[in-house]
Amino acid sequence: MANLSLKHIYKVYPNGTKAVNDFNMQIEDKEFIVFVGPSGCGKSTTLRMIAGLEEISAGELKIGDVVVNELEPKERDIAMVFQNYALYPHMTIYDNMAFGLQMQKMPKDEINRRVTEAAEILDITEYLKRKPKEMSGGQRQRVALGRAIVREPKVMLLDEPLSNLDAKLRTQMRSEIVKLHNKLNTTFVYVTHDQVEAMTMGTRIVVMKLGFVQQIDTPKNLYMYPANKFVAGFIGTPQMNFFNGTLKKDGDKVYISFAGSEAKITAPYEMMQKTTPQYLDGEKVVCIGLRAEDISLDPEDIKNSKTNIKVKISHTEELGTETLVYGDINLDYDGIAETETRIIIKAAGFKDFKSGEIVEAALNLSAVHLFDAETEESILPRIPKYNYVDCEIKGGNLTFAGQTVQLPSAIKCEDGKAELLLPPDSITFDGDIPAELESCENVNGTILLALKINGKKLFAISDSEISQQSIKIGVDLKKIIIRKNNEDIVVPMPEINCLSGTFAMEKVVQTVEIDGKLKKKKMPNYYMVIENEKFAAPQDVANKMFGAFSGRKVFNTAFRYEFTPYDFTVGDSGISATVTEVIDYGKEKFLKCSVGENTLYVFTDKPLTGEIKLVPDMTKVSVVEQDREIRIV
Ligand code: ADP
């Protein structure tokens, strides 16, 4: 039983293939995690790095509280089950299961207890005396699981364990492995390319593509809130329908047009409030996604729906409990060709349609998915990037949603009407603007509040769940954007300062205790060198940097060191900086400093000017290797 922590994990194979990029995940004890994605997306590589069968190029892997990067597979307290179960043909099932424990010289009684118990859990007790060739494929896979279980590992790793089995057996083994997970109460990490397997087994699923994690979420959330078009298309059968179209906002309505169709469909603006206004101009092409089950051919639904679209039907596939109806929303097409306007509709029971028949279909817009046509990212994220609000600036005051706040000297802009962009985390709870709580939702650990201020809806992020209806809010003005005629006239204060540097070692004579005696010895000290100044590297940071390279290469590499504005103090020695401006946000002040060619923003409680020395807090540093763009810390 253990949790796993994967931080900035990368795998670069010697031939240069970047198989895994910046994999970050916290796996809780007893979770059933599934890595899923098409062949070559990096799921096995990630699993093999956890197992210790593949070296980790950069990043930190912890099992429980222990960093295991350098530990051998057998020291990691994991057990792995492969697609090829590779049982020893000449040994009995009992011996196959006992073999690993015998090699560890475990007492016979203990081996017997473990094998008997595992056999019972897997329901193979009666076969213990048989040889593998006398067992079916499913039974052999059970033995392979048994061989893993007897080790009583902290983590079970399974790499496509069912892909050698036929479809029926696969379905059966699927539920058996889920049952096994419940019984064993151990953390499972399971790799498959089969989305149905992933959806039915995982408590959480990691969807991967080309070495990058696309989304980590529960099966339900992946289905309901896919983060991009890839996840939307990968999860669910038949595949989600995708159409090109445009969205045009008019007052509190949005008109949705589908390329190739005459349909006039209207949605309430509130439904699309989380999207960026640029998608609502009636021009920008977006990708509209609707699952087959969110389109109905039921006459009752069509009668009651105001969001109907005409479909020319081509053919149907009757699956018994449901029928898949194929057609096209472009009535000039036949619905057989896989055009950009092809539609698949799921209808209950048996349905009979004539080929070429034109029917109405009701769209369930509450389940619509919208994606950027180029980046394919969802444009209806669960947590919106910004709240978009009309505002007016006048005499140093900012008025929005019927409320006025005084602008600090850091924000300088002309009077006039503009658009205010408020990131949800810019809303604070220490102000005096009255707001009503509309809803409070936990989005994977982030608490998202929907608030109403004078009837205007705003999203905010809170540290904890809130239940009181009336609250008071403020705005962290260093995070806002003010936009006028598509130009950002006020931009947020940068949250990250970047400095280039290197990593160095010096041997220093130190007094150390050896065999109870104090002796002088040359010991290595590690430094980060920034702007010709040396700063001692914390031991864990130095370890991670060494871990990312073999040998002395770490000393010949360019790094980008990143700090927030709160990670500096002003001292007598340190990085030489020239203060060019004091940025005053009222509650907080920052120094804008030039350091070589870089600009740094540093939090301050004193409005300093001129030349100063900055000391970065090295325990807060983030490190990126510039060449390979690998985040190391
Ligand atoms: P998956 O398990 O998702 O099918 P893998 O993790 O096996 O994918 O592979 C990810 C990528 O790394 C692929 O492009 C694959 O070709 C490449 N790869 C895997 N193993 C090696 C290797 N030993 N050397 C070089 N490239 C490899």
Side-chain angles (χ1 to χ4, degrees):
M1 283 185 284
N3 48 352
L4 265 89
S5 149
L6 295 98
K7 279 199 190 141
H8 304 304
I9 298 279
Y10 290 79
K11 177 70 194 183
V12 188
Y13 280 109
N15 66 0
T17 306
K18 230 172 162 186
V20 179
N21 293 274
D22 206 10
F23 193 117
N24 286 288
M25 187 177 188
Q26 199 62 38
I27 299 177
E28 299 306 328
D29 190 18
K30 299 178 192 147
E31 272 201 280
F32 194 131
I33 298 295
V34 181
F35 296 167
V36 72
S39 176
C41 69
K43 44 194 195 303
S44 295
T45 301
T46 311
L47 194 77
R48 292 169 61 81
M49 285 194 282
I50 299 174
L53 301 172
E54 205 66 74
E55 205 182 307
I56 297 171
S57 305
E60 181 189 80
L61 172 67
K62 274 186 180 175
I63 299 181
D65 298 326
V66 182
V67 177
V68 298
N69 288 46
E70 302 302 324
L71 294 189
E72 292 291 318
K74 63 177 189 300
E75 298 167 324
R76 294 192 184 194
D77 223 342
I78 47 110
M80 189 145 169
V81 181
F82 298 92
Q83 174 179 349
N84 298 322
Y85 17 83
L87 303 179
Y88 298 111
H90 59 283
M91 286 188 193
T92 63
I93 297 309
Y94 184 99
D95 286 335
N96 262 290
M97 283 164 67
F99 185 67
L101 307 182
Q102 286 160 355
M103 296 305 285
Q104 287 175 27
K105 307 232 170 350
M106 188 176 279
K108 271 214 172 84
D109 287 358
E110 179 62 13
I111 296 180
N112 194 39
R113 177 190 75 76
R114 289 191 184 194
V115 174
T116 320
E117 226 176 82
E120 259 168 47
I121 290 175
L122 295 163
D123 207 12
I124 49 172
T125 309
E126 58 190 296
Y127 308 118
L128 284 174
K129 293 206 180 79
R130 287 198 192 173
K131 296 271 176 63
K133 68 171 187 296
E134 300 165 281
M135 312 271 285
S136 70
Q139 288 166 337
R140 278 185 228 172
Q141 189 52 283
R142 244 172 264 184
V143 179
L145 286 167
R147 205 167 41 179
I149 295 171
V150 294
R151 301 181 51 187
E152 300 186 352
K154 280 190 186 150
V155 184
M156 284 275 269
L157 306 175
L158 303 103
D159 193 354
E160 304 250 10
L162 306 184
S163 24
N164 277 355
L165 307 179
D166 62 53
K168 185 158 168 267
L169 201 51
R170 236 177 20 229
T171 316
Q172 187 194 336
M173 283 301 286
R174 217 156 67 196
S175 37
E176 292 205 7
I177 291 180
V178 173
K179 261 198 264 166
L180 179 66
H181 171 251
N182 292 338
K183 268 192 205 151
L184 293 181
N185 254 329
T186 309
T187 314
F188 273 44
V189 185
Y190 187 104
V191 162
T192 178
H193 63 275
D194 179 347
Q195 61 94 15
V196 177
E197 223 165 271
M199 291 293 275
T200 49
M201 298 175 85
T203 48
R204 279 194 303 155
I205 299 172
V206 181
V207 183
M208 298 182 73
K209 179 191 169 191
L210 297 173
F212 288 90
V213 171
Q214 303 293 304
Q215 191 171 356
I216 302 179
D217 221 323
T218 59
K220 181 176 154 208
N221 285 344
L222 284 182
Y223 185 83
M224 289 180 58
Y225 312 107
N228 58 39
K229 190 178 165 189
F230 174 79
V231 175
F234 192 76
I235 301 291
T237 34
Q239 206 197 52
M240 187 186 281
N241 294 290
F242 296 114
F243 309 100
N244 283 334
T246 55
L247 310 168
K248 186 164 178 58
K249 179 174 183 288
D250 187 3
D252 58 359
K253 288 198 181 72
V254 174
Y255 295 96
I256 307 178
S257 313
F258 290 76
S261 167
E262 304 272 286
K264 298 253 175 301
I265 297 199
T266 318
Y269 168 64
E270 182 130 330
M271 235 180 76
M272 309 216 173
Q273 197 173 347
K274 288 181 178 173
T275 197
T276 314
Q278 71 180 90
Y279 294 108
L280 304 178
D281 66 357
E283 307 260 323
K284 195 167 170 64
V285 175
V286 299
C287 172
I288 305 165
L290 271 166
R291 296 196 186 275
E293 51 273 41
D294 295 317
I295 308 166
S296 173
L297 294 170
D298 186 285
E300 223 15 58
D301 288 344
I302 294 162
K303 204 173 91 196
N304 295 328
S305 160
K306 292 200 178 74
T307 51
N308 293 343
I309 195 166
K310 282 200 168 62
V311 174
K312 183 162 157 195
I313 290 181
S314 66
H315 63 288
T316 57
E317 280 174 9
E318 286 169 349
L319 305 173
T321 52
E322 64 198 23
T323 303
L324 293 184
V325 183
Y326 289 75
D328 207 301
I329 59 167
N330 185 332
L331 307 180
D332 294 337
Y333 292 153
D334 61 9
I336 294 169
E338 286 196 31
T339 60
E340 286 191 346
T341 41
R342 211 256 297 235
I343 188 167
I344 306 176
I345 303 167
K346 216 182 243 184
F350 290 102
K351 288 282 174 322
D352 208 9
F353 290 97
K354 277 202 260 337
S355 179
E357 189 177 344
I358 292 172
V359 297
E360 294 268 337
L363 307 180
N364 172 14
L365 280 193
S366 65
V368 75
H369 300 270
L370 297 171
F371 306 98
D372 183 292
E374 273 140 43
T375 66
E376 303 196 342
E377 292 300 311
S378 170
I379 60 170
L380 278 181
R382 293 187 77 189
I383 299 177
K385 206 162 163 208
Y386 295 108
N387 293 292
Y388 296 85
V389 199
D390 292 333
C391 72
E392 184 166 11
I393 301 113
K394 203 169 169 187
N397 287 323
L398 170 72
T399 306
F400 68 95
Q403 299 290 330
T404 299
V405 292
Q406 201 187 351
L407 288 174
S409 71
I411 298 181
K412 299 177 194 73
C413 63
E414 280 174 25
D415 285 2
K417 290 199 161 61
E419 191 182 17
L420 174 65
L421 281 66
L422 294 168
D425 71 350
S426 70
I427 310 266
T428 62
F429 299 93
D430 58 355
D432 48 17
I433 300 174
E436 294 296 313
L437 179 71
E438 206 177 66
S439 67
C440 173
E441 185 188 359
N442 186 330
V443 182
N444 293 335
T446 304
I447 313 290
L448 181 70
L449 307 180
L451 305 172
K452 277 251 159 103
I453 301 165
N454 284 329
K456 171 81 197 160
K457 189 166 175 171
L458 287 184
F459 294 99
I461 305 267
S462 155
D463 289 340
S464 54
E465 304 212 5
I466 294 186
S467 58
Q468 74 259 38
Q469 282 303 303
S470 299
I471 57 170
K472 292 265 169 88
I473 62 156
V475 176
D476 184 349
L477 293 167
K478 69 175 183 294
K479 294 186 172 167
I480 68 167
I481 295 176
I482 298 177
R483 191 172 281 174
K484 213 170 181 173
N485 304 326
N486 284 329
E487 194 196 336
D488 293 349
I489 53 172
V490 170
V491 294
M493 242 263 315
E495 291 181 356
I496 299 292
N497 293 302
C498 298
L499 287 161
S500 299
T502 52
F503 184 70
M505 188 255 289
E506 258 176 28
K507 288 213 165 143
V508 179
V509 178
Q510 281 179 330
T511 312
V512 288
E513 194 180 308
I514 298 171
D515 298 334
K517 287 190 192 117
L518 291 180
K519 286 190 179 163
K520 289 213 183 299
K521 196 165 181 251
K522 270 196 168 174
M523 299 288 288
N525 279 7
Y526 299 105
Y527 301 97
M528 283 153 177
V529 185
I530 305 172
E531 294 290 319
N532 297 321
E533 293 293 325
K534 286 189 302 188
F535 300 97
Q539 192 60 50
D540 62 320
V541 176
N543 289 347
K544 283 180 198 166
M545 293 178 72
F546 270 115
F549 300 92
S550 52
R552 300 182 51 84
K553 207 170 160 236
V554 65
F555 300 120
N556 301 314
T557 300
F559 294 103
R560 185 167 75 239
Y561 297 121
E562 298 178 349
F563 299 92
T564 77
Y566 300 95
D567 300 339
F568 294 92
T569 45
V570 178
D572 296 333
S573 61
I575 302 168
S576 300
T578 313
V579 179
T580 54
E581 195 183 337
V582 177
I583 303 178
D584 188 347
Y585 281 101
K587 281 191 194 127
E588 291 177 307
K589 292 180 187 35
F590 298 88
L591 304 173
K592 185 176 179 184
C593 308
S594 65
V595 175
E597 304 206 322
N598 296 311
T599 303
L600 295 195
Y601 294 85
V602 176
F603 173 74
T604 184
D605 40 19
K606 286 190 234 52
L608 302 171
T609 51
E611 304 295 316
I612 57 168
K613 303 277 185 196
L614 293 173
V615 185
D617 179 350
M618 300 313 286
T619 63
K620 303 276 174 60
V621 69
S622 293
V623 183
V624 176
E625 189 220 316
Q626 292 193 338
D627 234 19
R628 294 183 290 174
E629 262 309 308
I630 286 182
R631 186 167 288 282
I632 294 171
V633 182

